[in-house]
Amino acid sequence: MTTKIQDDNQDAKMMTKIQDDKDDGQGAKMTTKMTTKIQDDDHDAKMTSKIQDDDQDAKVTTRMPRSQPGNHQHLYPHHISDQSITPVNDTKHFMVGAYKEHRVKGSSVRIISIFRRDSVQPLYCVFYCGTHWANGMKAEVQMHSDHFGFRFVTTDVLCPNLPDCNPSHVTLATQADAKLAQKQTFLRIQNLVKREEEEFQFNFTVCWSNLFGDYNNVLQVTQTLEMYKLLGVQHVVVYNTSCGSELDRLLQIYTHDGFVEVVPWPIDKYMNPSRGWQPSEHGGDIHYYGQLTTLNDCVYRHMYQSRYVLLNDIDEIIAPYQHQTLPQMMDVLQRQNQKAEVFLIENHIFPKSQFEPSGRFKRPRWQDVPGINIMEHIYREEPDYRISHPSKMIVRPRAVEQTSVHSVLRNFGQTVKVLPNMCRIIHVRVPLRRGLTKEELHEDKRVWDYERQLVPNVDKALEQAGLLIEGRRKE
């Protein structure tokens, strides 16, 4: 599946035109005159481009000449990435997404990246400024604290503000010379416009962790997507390395109607991604196919598009228990916690090994659809609070600087733990506390409250994908 991601925030459309000189038969002439100003108290001609304060020893500002009207082609980046993972030339690192940074003083652009931890080297941010190039400025590399011992780690690269430059594209380079970097692959900078909440396209967006392997849990994914629609979510994003053929067919249906956005995530082309979170047990180069990187990228991708972002797995539903929808619940929580920006939601396991006895939702139409029928599993484990009990999150993305899976690493506001009687995660999976009997579990029929709309909506989606018995296409 290939899905091209378009950012509504883009406000810098580049037009290039070459005007031929018909009188002398020559095309547009390219001039590459360079003007370099060097300030250095102790050295004659040593160029340094590190982020400096006012007391810096050496500060460099170098520009390629401004283009003349009608002669822009030689200035526009030759290679602009349309991929979700872009290698950094002459390094073992990768760029994922570039975002205008409106919140951190002194920083112009943040590049969400994947770095090899044992191979960090000085790097420079090289900007294309719309009408001219700017020589590279020393990048600030911030490797995230959560890497679980894997070789590769999610990394933020902060690019400093540069005078007289309103950048539209950026790349990372091992040299500061813009002329040398022009042939490298650039990223288009997103979030150029700092929109206000009333201008956002979405109220609630769900960011799912990565799909990989032959994951084909079609029925549960369909029920989860339809539940989220009923709960007031407008947008679901999934980063997809691979999945089963039936799930791929289903996601195409939701992508076509605009509810789901699939971001291709070919991380297995660049490294050996792990299927787990411990290198000693699961092997590989990076945690869960780069899960931490995709979660951070999803937050920044929707920073000025969605009021709230839900960070959870594909088999989890963040469900309100005192309100019909998530917007109703969040209005109350936000009034009660006006400075809160991160809301932690407890994970609650519904063992897929325990079935509701009446068979009420054991529907013949769904029997051949791959995956778990969450409506049959209404028994919930009581969490063991003596051990670490993980949460997932609802966040206001503009307050998040770095996130992990179960908590944020850096943020600008307060964090609130939501009580489970108000909201909890419905997570149908293998039991966590394997020794519990059905009598020791809690009956929880919250999903049944949405039965009247949920069941026909699931039928319709499966039918559109040709996955119901009556509607299955002949292969």
Side-chain angles (χ1 to χ4, degrees):
M1 183 182 303
T2 302
T3 304
K4 185 174 178 64
I5 310 302
Q6 298 178 338
D7 191 339
D8 293 334
N9 293 340
Q10 180 178 0
D11 68 345
K13 295 183 178 178
M14 306 300 170
M15 299 181 63
T16 59
K17 181 180 179 183
I18 299 177
Q19 295 183 340
D20 294 336
D21 188 340
K22 297 183 179 179
D23 293 333
D24 58 13
Q26 295 182 340
K29 295 184 178 179
M30 300 174 61
T31 55
T32 58
K33 182 179 178 182
M34 183 182 297
T35 302
T36 307
K37 181 179 180 181
I38 304 177
Q39 296 176 343
D40 195 323
D41 294 333
D42 301 317
H43 303 282
D44 294 330
K46 183 178 180 181
M47 298 179 64
T48 307
S49 58
K50 186 177 181 182
I51 306 173
Q52 305 283 355
D53 296 324
D54 293 336
D55 59 348
Q56 69 187 48
D57 294 327
K59 187 174 182 179
V60 178
T61 305
T62 304
R63 255 193 306 163
M64 301 300 290
R66 293 184 181 275
S67 59
Q68 299 300 315
N71 188 20
H72 288 234
Q73 178 141 345
H74 68 287
L75 289 176
Y76 193 70
H78 295 289
H79 306 287
I80 300 174
S81 178
D82 61 356
Q83 303 297 311
S84 57
I85 303 175
T86 303
V88 179
N89 285 14
D90 302 318
T91 76
K92 298 177 181 179
H93 313 314
F94 305 89
M95 300 181 293
V96 174
Y99 302 92
K100 177 73 175 177
E101 181 54 83
H102 298 279
R103 307 161 304 169
V104 179
K105 185 177 180 181
S107 296
S108 172
V109 171
R110 183 186 301 263
I111 304 175
I112 306 297
S113 309
I114 300 173
F115 271 43
R116 181 159 161 165
R117 293 193 296 125
D118 61 359
S119 186
V120 178
Q121 63 202 91
L123 291 174
Y124 300 87
C125 300
V126 178
F127 290 123
Y128 173 63
C129 304
T131 57
H132 62 279
W133 296 92
N135 262 14
M137 297 289 286
K138 186 70 176 291
E140 178 184 348
V141 176
Q142 296 181 351
M143 290 190 292
H144 288 207
S145 57
D146 276 8
H147 52 71
F148 303 100
F150 286 99
R151 184 176 300 173
F152 285 89
V153 59
T154 302
T155 301
D156 289 358
V157 179
L158 296 181
C159 300
N161 283 316
L162 194 63
D164 198 23
C165 178
N166 186 22
S168 60
H169 298 77
V170 67
T171 194
L172 293 176
T174 57
Q175 300 183 60
D177 192 335
K179 187 175 181 180
L180 295 176
Q182 285 180 38
K183 294 182 180 180
Q184 295 187 192
T185 301
F186 279 70
L187 299 185
R188 179 175 57 84
I189 300 172
Q190 303 177 63
N191 295 349
L192 289 174
V193 177
K194 182 181 179 181
R195 294 181 174 177
E196 300 301 323
E197 287 192 2
E198 56 269 18
E199 302 177 275
F200 292 169
Q201 184 178 359
F202 308 114
N203 199 19
F204 285 83
T205 293
V206 174
C207 292
W208 273 346
S209 301
N210 313 29
L211 279 177
F212 57 85
D214 56 356
Y215 188 83
N216 204 38
N217 192 355
V218 175
L219 185 54
Q220 184 170 4
V221 170
T222 310
Q223 293 171 333
T224 299
L225 288 170
E226 294 301 332
M227 271 293 293
Y228 269 134
K229 283 185 178 181
L230 296 175
L231 293 175
V233 169
Q234 296 93 27
H235 192 49
V236 175
V237 184
V238 58
Y239 289 70
N240 184 22
T241 300
S242 62
C243 64
S245 59
E246 288 92 347
L247 183 57
D248 182 75
R249 188 190 305 175
L250 178 78
L251 292 176
Q252 289 184 44
I253 296 299
Y254 282 104
T255 300
H256 184 264
D257 69 15
F259 184 61
V260 169
E261 176 183 349
V262 178
V263 181
W265 186 247
I267 194 167
D268 52 350
K269 293 183 179 179
Y270 303 102
M271 63 187 72
N272 175 28
S274 178
R275 290 174 172 264
W277 66 277
Q278 287 184 311
S280 59
E281 181 179 347
H282 306 101
D285 294 325
I286 193 169
H287 167 274
Y288 273 127
Y289 274 68
Q291 177 188 30
L292 296 174
T293 306
T294 58
L295 289 176
N296 279 271
D297 185 67
C298 195
V299 166
Y300 277 87
R301 190 183 286 262
H302 296 89
M303 188 162 289
Y304 300 103
Q305 292 189 41
S306 188
R307 185 181 181 193
Y308 293 103
V309 167
L310 284 65
L311 302 173
N312 62 271
D313 291 344
I314 196 168
D315 59 352
E316 298 171 340
I317 301 171
I318 296 180
Y321 272 67
Q322 296 181 10
H323 304 84
Q324 189 70 10
T325 67
L326 289 167
Q328 293 170 351
M329 180 189 78
M330 290 309 300
D331 285 347
V332 173
L333 282 174
Q334 206 69 76
R335 286 198 303 269
Q336 294 174 346
N337 308 275
Q338 296 185 11
K339 296 183 178 180
E341 307 285 357
V342 177
F343 300 84
L344 301 179
I345 313 299
E346 274 192 12
N347 186 28
H348 286 253
I349 306 299
F350 290 64
K352 69 176 184 178
S353 56
Q354 298 288 354
F355 289 81
E356 184 273 322
S358 74
R360 175 178 175 181
F361 292 103
K362 192 175 181 63
R363 308 185 71 241
R365 298 194 79 192
W366 294 350
Q367 67 182 10
D368 286 343
V369 179
I372 298 170
N373 179 2
I374 67 173
M375 302 187 77
E376 292 187 280
H377 305 286
I378 61 169
Y379 298 104
R380 170 172 51 81
E381 292 183 6
E382 178 67 21
D384 187 350
Y385 292 103
R386 297 171 299 177
I387 61 176
S388 177
H389 185 59
S391 300
K392 296 297 173 65
M393 294 174 282
I394 301 175
V395 303
R396 294 168 64 91
R398 293 152 301 286
V400 175
E401 192 172 355
Q402 295 179 2
T403 189
S404 187
V405 178
H406 303 294
S407 62
V408 292
L409 301 176
R410 293 185 180 182
N411 63 298
F412 300 101
Q414 295 179 356
T415 298
V416 170
K417 185 175 181 180
V418 180
L419 295 176
N421 65 347
M422 188 170 195
C423 182
R424 65 171 63 107
I425 295 173
I426 298 173
H427 191 183
V428 180
R429 46 153 284 176
V430 297
L432 184 64
R433 303 179 65 186
R434 298 179 183 274
L436 297 179
T437 64
K438 182 179 291 187
E439 290 70 30
E440 295 174 292
L441 302 174
H442 300 280
E443 186 176 275
D444 187 333
K445 299 179 179 179
R446 180 56 171 155
V447 173
W448 288 16
D449 294 339
Y450 299 87
E451 168 194 357
R452 186 176 60 82
Q453 293 174 282
L454 179 60
V455 171
N457 290 352
V458 170
D459 279 348
K460 181 179 178 181
L462 292 172
E463 201 168 68
Q464 288 178 331
L467 295 170
L468 284 183
I469 293 176
E470 298 91 335
R472 188 183 296 275
R473 300 168 185 165
K474 294 181 179 180
E475 302 293 343

